[in-house]
Each structure stands twice: as structure tokens, then as C-alpha cells.
Amino acid sequence: MTLRLELEKDPSLKKPQKVFFVLFGLMFLIAPFYYQPNLGGEGLNIPHNSSLWIVACWIISAASYIVFKTQRLILPKYWFALALLPLGAIVTSYIADNNNPAEWLVRLLVISGGYVFFIALFQFNLNSKQLERSLYILLSMGLIAAFYGIVQVFDIPLLFNIVPKTDKTVAIGIFQQVNIQAAIMATTLTLVFYLISRPACRSLHPIIIIALHLAALASSYNIAISGSRVGLLGITIALTLLVIGRWKIFAASKTIFISILITSLIGGFLGSQGLGSTTKKFDRIMGQDIRWSIYEMSWELYTEAPIFGHGLGSFQKVFQDKRADHQEKGLHNLGKAPKFGHPHNEFIFWLIEGGSFAIVGIIAASLYTFKQLILIGWQRGFGYAALLVPITLHTQVELPFYISNTPWFLLLTLLFLVHQFGKKSYSIKRSSLLVRRTIPIGATAIALFTTNSLVQAQVGNAGILNYFRAGQNNPIYLQSSIRSPYFEDYTSFLILRNNMFMGISQNDPKHAIIYANWAEEQIKVNPALIYYRNLAIAYDFTNRNNERDKIMKIAMSTYLNNLDLQQLNQQFMQKDLEDENSSGAIKQLDTSD
């Protein structure tokens, strides 16, 4: 309420800044918390990813209109170095041979769209006071996210229409993943300490002081109760950087600093029961953590295509092949672990799919951001570096951006704050009127198209969930999802599998043949266990036993110790034995006749 009143009374707020705060508020206070029941996973399977991109597109559209009206484009000092990240991905994606078309398109759109969103934020031309207010919006997002975690831990059923339900009382937040919740909470707690080191903290409204304490209490509780190593390590490094860089400011305002510190320790103590699992996880880091095996195999994959990589979207296929090979040789054993679409390290991921050429963009963006942190001074540099740590650290051990786009947009916003210093304004008056008009018209058209597509995707997402709730025997629920490009492949699988089993029950091999033809192509890019399993069943029903045994061997060498595959293989062996005995009995009868 206080922040809203201050915004209304601020004479420096022009129309562009007012539009910014409306859209920015939607971006981080409304869009991340959109929820509808879903099957989980990543990408558009998580509903709030759609709502985030809808708002992001409208921010880009509004920024393009500002460029058209002012005939000026504001760019950060190192805009070209930062652009090397999407450019590197685009170039290598056209050179590499094994791109997965769907993954290729989604990946390029997310990276390129993220960079355009980053540039769009500069067009609103915010002053330092307005930038600080945007940080309070991020703080409010963190406080809401912390509330979601608390609801899940205490299992409050009345709120599970808007909060994802968990099988266990674990703080997974709206992100539906415990480590992402912990990383966002670590960023929130870091932001609390950063804000109390700002000059404005000496004249804060009592409501904001209360909000800062609540955020410190709730976020520290979430970090501790989660048992997340990445969350605990992230906040430890971040606060260390903050204290090193801004200890003079903390010393000058020691009352509120000590008060927030005590509040944070209380929150950590209240959630200390989760720290036991954190300790056990740290004990597994050296030698026993499955990630070490993943990293070793991933590095070997990089050395096989070091320049341009294996292609965007190729990781899950080439990694599963490498996994099967290593497990057969006894080098590694990933056991019952599911298919991997990511090596749990963003840097290694791009090394494999895009090679050294693609990684140049990440290195350039990192180096020039580091250079910017140095140029802006000791206090600011350490402060902004601390804010970047939790999410950046998380990308080196997991895949936060793919599960939830909230960390992606939050990181881009924090980078926008870092690169405020040294930004320049460029006139576009020399461009033709047609070009200048194309910018806002094109951006608005893209925003409208994206909004419609993402809304339809979530309608399709709901259709898939209703299909499962109805027992998977009413394909009418899949009509909406088959029309969504994002869900088309998975929906095709559900329909083809349903038709195949109906054909098996009617002793009609037609649909089993259709499924086999589809699955043979699909497993070339998406070697999911369920695709292998049903392909083996299709081969068996159509009496293609050699192909059945071959695909079962591949599946069982990849997914070692999978009980479902072992039971299915036993059924095939029993059937073959019965057929052999039956054939032998018939031959014996023929001989006796």
C-alpha cells in the first residue's frame, strides 16, 4: 500500500514508467503464481511459464512503442557482448546436424526472447529511485513465494486450489521443485540484506520495515526446511559477498542489520529440522553423488563434438546412448534414474549441444558482467554480485530455467540492474518511417500471437490432465492438446498408445504397426522408457520378435534394474517358451500322424 501511494505521488513518474510498474507488477506478483492442476515436469507443463511469457511479450511490446515514440533506443554499454549468447546459439543450431526440431525452436525462442526482454527493460528509462522500487516488487514476489512454501510444509488443505499440493510436506512453492524454491528464497533473503544497506533504509516506512522482517523470517525458514544444498550454499556465499562489500554501511545502520540478522537466524532455527537432510546430502557430494557420473559422461560427449556440439535438443538421445555404453562396460551405473534431458549443469549442457562455439556467448556475457561489476565500484559491485549468486550457482547443479522461467526472468532483471551504469541512447531517426512503425506493430502482433498460443497450450495441458483423470480411455479430452504444437508429440503418443491397446484387445495389428512406425522415429530424439516399452509390446503383438528383443536389450541396458522392464521381459520369455512348446507339440502330432 505504501509503495503504491508513493508511486502515485511521485512527479518523476511519466507514462512509460507508469506502464513499467503495471507490467512489472504483473510479471512478478501475478504471473509467477498462476496455477492450474498439471502433471508436472518442465516447460509449458508448468502453467506459470505460459503466464510469465505472456507478460514478458507485452513488456517487449510496450518498450517497442516507447522506442517508436521517442525515436531513441537505449542500450547497455556491453550490449553486443551480451548478444553473443543468443547469436552463438542461433549460429551453432544451424551448423550442427542433430537438432531436435521442437527443442531447437523452443530453446532459441527462450534465449532470444530473454535477451529482447532484457533490452526492453532499458527503454523505460528508470531513475535510481524507481529501480529501487522495482526491487521491492521482487521482494514482494519472494514473500509470496515463501508463503506458498509455508502452506505446503504445514499442509493447509484450504489453499491447495491455488497452491500446488505435495505428496510430502515439502516446500516446493509454485515452482513445484524444492531446489528452485530454495534458490528463490536465497535470492529473497539476499535482497532483504541488500535493501537495508541502501541509503533509503534510514527513512523506511514502518510497513516496509515489517515486510523486510517478514521476508527475512519466511525465506530463511524455507531455505532451512528445504534441506537444499544449493539454497544453503547460495545464501552463504551471497551474504559473505554482501558483508565484504558493504560492511561500512551495515555498521552505520547496525540496529536494523542486527534485527534482520536475528530474524533470519530465528527463521533458520524454526526450519532446522531440514538441515539434517542437508548434512546427509553434503556427505554424498564426494564420490557418491550421481552428478559426478553425469558430468564424466557429459565431458566425454563434448570431446566427441567439441566445436559445434551435437545439436540443440540432442542431449537426451546422445546421453542415453553413452549411458547404455558405459553401463554395459561397468564404468558407471545410473541404475533406476530416468532419462536425462539435462546434465544438471548449464555450462556443460551448452558444451554438449552447442560446442565451444555456443559457449563463447556464455563466457562473453559472464566476463563483461564481471567487468561491469568491477567498474561500478566496490560496494555496488559486491552487492549486485551477491544478488546474482543463488540463481547462477543453481544453474551449475540443476536445470532451474527449464522447470520454471521465474529464475530466468529474475536473473535477467538483476542483470538489467547491473548493466544500468554506462547505458547509452541511440537515435533511430535516420531509419525509414516504415522501419520505425514496423517495430511496435511487429512486437504487438507477436505479443497477440504468443498470448493466444500460450493460452491454448494451457487449455491443452488441462485436457491431458483430464484425460488421465478419466482413466485414459476417453481421447475426446485430447482434442485441445493435439492442436498445441508444444503438446502435439506427447498427445500423439497417448492417442497412438490407446489405439494400439484397443487393437490388441480386438486382435487387430493395424494400430500396433502405426504406433511402431511412430515410436521408431520418436526414440531417435526422445529415448523415453515408456516409448521403448510400448514399442516392444507393438513388436511382440505383430510377431516381430527380433526387433522386440533388440529394443528390449537397448532399453534394459539403459534403464538398469527397472522392475517394469524386467517383468515385461519375463513375460516375453514366457510367451516364447509357450510358443516353442506349442510348436513342438504340433510337430510331434504331425510325426505321429
Side-chain angles (χ1 to χ4, degrees):
M1 179 66 73
T2 303
L3 181 61
R4 182 174 67 82
L5 290 174
E6 288 181 359
L7 289 173
E8 289 176 352
K9 296 176 181 178
D10 188 352
S12 69
L13 278 175
K14 307 301 181 183
K15 191 172 183 179
Q17 289 79 45
K18 290 179 180 178
V19 171
F20 169 82
F21 279 107
V22 170
L23 292 174
F24 196 74
L26 287 173
M27 183 82 190
F28 287 105
L29 299 180
I30 305 298
F33 302 103
Y34 170 70
Y35 176 73
Q36 67 183 47
N38 60 87
L39 297 176
E42 59 185 68
L44 299 186
N45 290 312
I46 304 298
H48 71 259
N49 288 334
S50 290
S51 55
L52 280 166
W53 274 105
I54 288 172
V55 180
C57 284
W58 286 107
I59 288 176
I60 293 170
S61 179
S64 68
Y65 185 75
I66 292 171
V67 171
F68 170 70
K69 292 292 290 184
T70 62
Q71 298 188 44
R72 303 200 69 82
L73 178 65
I74 301 174
L75 293 174
K77 184 177 182 180
Y78 302 119
W79 68 270
F80 183 74
L82 298 172
L84 290 176
L85 175 57
L87 287 175
I90 291 170
V91 172
T92 192
S93 71
Y94 279 100
I95 296 175
D97 295 326
N98 301 315
N99 296 307
N100 177 340
E103 288 282 337
W104 171 83
L105 180 61
V106 170
R107 197 81 52 76
L108 290 185
L109 287 175
V110 169
I111 295 170
S112 302
Y115 179 76
V116 175
F117 169 80
F118 167 74
I119 295 297
L121 294 178
F122 287 92
Q123 311 316 312
F124 295 96
N125 202 21
L126 305 180
N127 60 33
S128 59
K129 184 184 293 186
Q130 292 158 357
L131 288 170
E132 183 167 339
R133 286 167 178 168
S134 69
L135 290 178
Y136 280 101
I137 291 177
L138 297 182
L139 180 75
S140 300
M141 181 205 73
L143 189 54
I144 297 170
F147 170 75
Y148 274 47
I150 293 170
V151 167
Q152 289 159 340
V153 169
F154 288 94
D155 197 21
I156 304 174
L158 291 176
L159 296 172
F160 283 129
N161 288 325
I162 60 171
V163 178
K165 180 75 170 68
T166 60
D167 294 331
K168 301 177 181 178
T169 52
V170 179
I172 62 172
I174 192 68
F175 317 107
Q176 300 182 210
Q177 209 269 353
V178 64
N179 287 322
I180 295 181
Q181 173 76 358
I184 295 293
M185 293 298 96
T187 304
T188 302
L189 186 55
T190 306
L191 185 57
V192 170
F193 279 93
Y194 175 79
L195 286 171
I196 65 171
S197 71
R198 297 277 295 175
C201 78
R202 297 167 188 172
S203 57
L204 289 177
H205 192 280
I207 293 178
I208 292 180
I209 294 175
I210 292 171
L212 287 167
H213 282 81
L214 285 175
L217 181 69
S219 58
S220 60
Y221 172 79
N222 270 264
I223 295 168
I225 199 70
S226 70
S228 170
R229 291 171 292 181
V230 70
L232 187 62
L233 187 59
I235 190 59
T236 301
I237 296 173
L239 291 185
T240 301
L241 290 174
L242 263 181
V243 171
I244 290 174
R246 305 174 79 85
W247 65 271
K248 288 184 178 179
I249 303 175
F250 287 135
S253 54
K254 54 181 174 293
T255 302
I256 190 169
F257 172 74
I258 294 172
S259 177
I260 291 291
L261 181 62
I262 292 173
T263 303
S264 302
L265 292 173
I266 292 172
F269 175 76
L270 292 175
S272 59
Q273 65 194 73
L275 296 178
S277 62
T278 308
T279 304
K280 293 177 182 177
K281 291 175 184 177
F282 273 116
D283 291 339
R284 295 201 310 266
I285 287 180
M286 298 308 297
Q288 297 182 20
D289 196 302
I290 196 174
R291 287 188 181 91
W292 293 111
S293 296
I294 297 171
Y295 295 159
E296 287 182 35
M297 284 185 275
S298 296
W299 181 255
E300 191 172 318
L301 284 170
Y302 162 67
T303 60
E304 294 173 1
I307 306 302
F308 297 110
H310 293 272
L312 295 192
S314 65
F315 176 83
Q316 53 187 338
K317 174 58 179 174
V318 295
F319 183 84
Q320 294 298 72
D321 290 343
K322 181 66 66 177
R323 170 185 180 178
D325 179 60
H326 273 235
Q327 289 179 158
E328 283 185 354
K329 294 176 180 177
L331 299 176
H332 294 97
N333 186 350
L334 301 188
K336 298 179 181 180
K339 70 165 184 169
F340 289 88
H342 192 283
H344 290 255
N345 181 291
E346 191 71 10
F347 192 83
I348 294 175
F349 185 51
W350 280 101
L351 277 178
I352 294 170
E353 293 203 342
S356 300
F357 193 87
I359 214 69
V360 166
I362 295 178
I363 294 174
S366 301
L367 288 177
Y368 278 93
T369 296
F370 183 71
K371 182 179 180 180
Q372 179 78 348
L373 289 171
I374 294 174
L375 292 176
I376 62 179
W378 178 274
Q379 289 184 349
R380 281 201 188 106
F382 271 92
Y384 284 136
L387 289 171
L388 291 169
V389 162
I391 294 175
T392 304
L393 177 66
H394 195 184
T395 65
Q396 300 308 296
V397 296
E398 275 195 341
L399 57 159
F401 298 154
Y402 304 86
I403 298 173
S404 170
N405 289 157
T406 302
W408 174 233
F409 286 114
L410 181 55
L411 180 65
L412 290 169
T413 302
L414 294 175
L415 288 172
F416 157 70
L417 294 171
V418 172
H419 289 276
Q420 277 293 309
F421 307 94
K423 63 185 179 183
K424 295 182 179 179
S425 177
Y426 299 89
S427 173
I428 61 168
K429 290 181 180 180
R430 293 183 180 180
S431 303
S432 68
L433 181 61
L434 178 62
V435 170
R436 295 200 300 270
R437 285 180 175 175
T438 300
I439 294 173
I441 293 173
T444 302
I446 291 172
L448 287 169
F449 174 79
T450 303
T451 300
N452 179 67
S453 299
L454 293 175
V455 169
Q456 290 301 317
Q458 289 314 309
V459 172
N461 197 1
I464 292 174
L465 182 70
N466 290 331
Y467 172 76
F468 278 97
R469 285 176 169 175
Q472 302 185 56
N473 48 16
N474 194 347
I476 194 171
Y477 288 113
L478 300 176
Q479 288 181 354
S480 56
S481 59
I482 196 65
R483 291 193 293 267
S484 169
Y486 187 86
F487 291 107
E488 183 179 0
D489 282 343
Y490 185 58
T491 306
S492 296
F493 161 71
L494 294 175
I495 293 172
L496 294 174
R497 182 182 66 170
N498 182 72
N499 291 342
M500 180 181 74
F501 283 114
M502 286 183 61
I504 291 173
S505 67
Q506 298 168 4
N507 201 30
D508 181 359
K510 179 178 67 175
H511 291 291
I513 295 172
I514 293 173
Y515 175 82
N517 292 335
W518 177 86
E520 285 167 355
E521 295 301 315
Q522 193 66 22
I523 60 174
K524 292 178 181 178
V525 294
N526 187 5
L529 186 152
I530 196 169
Y531 292 170
Y532 279 128
R533 182 185 185 279
N534 287 289
L535 180 56
I537 292 172
Y539 283 152
D540 181 73
F541 182 64
T542 53
N543 297 316
R544 298 161 68 180
N545 289 2
N546 289 335
E547 286 113 314
R548 179 202 69 192
D549 294 341
K550 182 180 178 181
I551 208 69
M552 283 298 295
K553 181 181 178 181
I554 294 172
M556 294 180 72
S557 65
T558 303
Y559 301 99
L560 288 178
N561 307 322
N562 184 275
L563 294 178
D564 187 44
L565 284 176
Q566 291 175 358
Q567 291 172 0
L568 182 62
N569 196 50
Q570 283 293 114
Q571 292 174 19
F572 290 152
M573 292 173 63
Q574 183 66 31
K575 180 189 172 190
D576 289 347
L577 183 61
E578 291 173 357
D579 289 344
E580 185 179 336
N581 291 337
S582 175
S583 177
I586 292 172
K587 287 182 180 179
Q588 189 174 4
L589 285 173
D590 289 342
T591 303
S592 62
D593 287 344

